Amino acid sequence: MRLSMLRYLLCIDLLLCFITASAQLSFPTNEGERKRYSAYIEMSRGYISGVCILVNKKSIIKGSLFNEFGITALDFSYDPCRKKIHLYSVIAMMDKWYIRRVLKKDLVQLMSCLQHGKYGYRNERQQITYQFTPIADEVTQ
């Protein structure tokens, strides 16, 4: 009985270590650190897909989401201490006060999920799904 309990505790410990390590890899925590994500935001009337880049500048996360053609859909900043999002620019089709309000709330939730190693968030009320998949950084020599 003791041996099985020790194995169980060891498995839980390894799982927690893995979750902690993946959380550290999924969100820019150090000054100047940059993370890239393949982004997919699905709404009832369509979707936005592209690349999202997050950069840590003086403990504020600056983010930009742009599509495959290089058109910027969102520019924002996130303050992890205050859990606040500031939207700098939003693509014209989404630049309405009520959409900006939903985006702000959802981005706060999404950034919190990314900090904890989760790559997606679903707003059940508005039927919006956010899926961010990390893009591996290429090492150039």
Side-chain angles (χ1 to χ4, degrees):
M1 180 67 176
R2 280 188 156 181
L3 187 58
S4 63
M5 186 62 138
L6 287 174
R7 285 183 184 162
Y8 178 72
L9 291 174
L10 181 62
C11 287
I12 290 175
D13 188 41
L14 288 174
L15 180 64
L16 288 174
C17 288
F18 176 74
I19 290 171
T20 304
S22 67
Q24 291 172 351
L25 296 174
S26 64
F27 198 74
T29 56
N30 300 327
E31 176 72 29
E33 188 177 0
R34 178 178 301 170
K35 296 292 180 181
R36 297 181 308 155
Y37 299 91
S38 172
Y40 184 78
I41 303 172
E42 184 178 7
M43 300 159 278
S44 60
R45 295 184 179 217
Y47 68 93
I48 296 173
S49 65
V51 175
C52 180
I53 298 176
L54 299 178
V55 178
N56 188 337
K57 292 195 176 193
K58 298 180 183 174
S59 73
I60 300 290
I61 308 299
K62 304 269 184 173
S64 186
L65 178 94
F66 50 93
N67 70 6
E68 292 86 358
F69 302 107
I71 298 171
T72 303
L74 292 171
D75 280 325
F76 63 93
S77 66
Y78 172 65
D79 185 352
C81 297
R82 295 176 40 216
K83 296 193 186 285
K84 295 281 184 179
I85 289 280
H86 179 76
L87 294 175
Y88 294 106
S89 67
V90 179
I91 195 167
M93 69 182 223
M94 295 173 40
D95 197 12
K96 313 279 188 282
W97 67 268
Y98 47 91
I99 295 175
R100 290 175 76 98
R101 184 186 309 176
V102 170
L103 271 175
K104 279 184 170 185
K105 289 178 183 177
D106 288 353
L107 284 173
V108 167
Q109 293 298 320
L110 180 64
M111 293 296 121
S112 178
C113 287
L114 288 174
Q115 279 182 307
H116 293 96
K118 299 176 188 172
Y119 300 115
Y121 171 71
R122 174 138 175 93
N123 180 334
E124 292 294 337
R125 184 173 184 194
Q126 303 294 332
Q127 302 298 312
I128 303 172
T129 303
Y130 300 84
Q131 188 64 43
F132 281 42
T133 308
I135 299 173
D137 291 329
E138 297 178 10
V139 178
T140 57
Q141 295 186 19

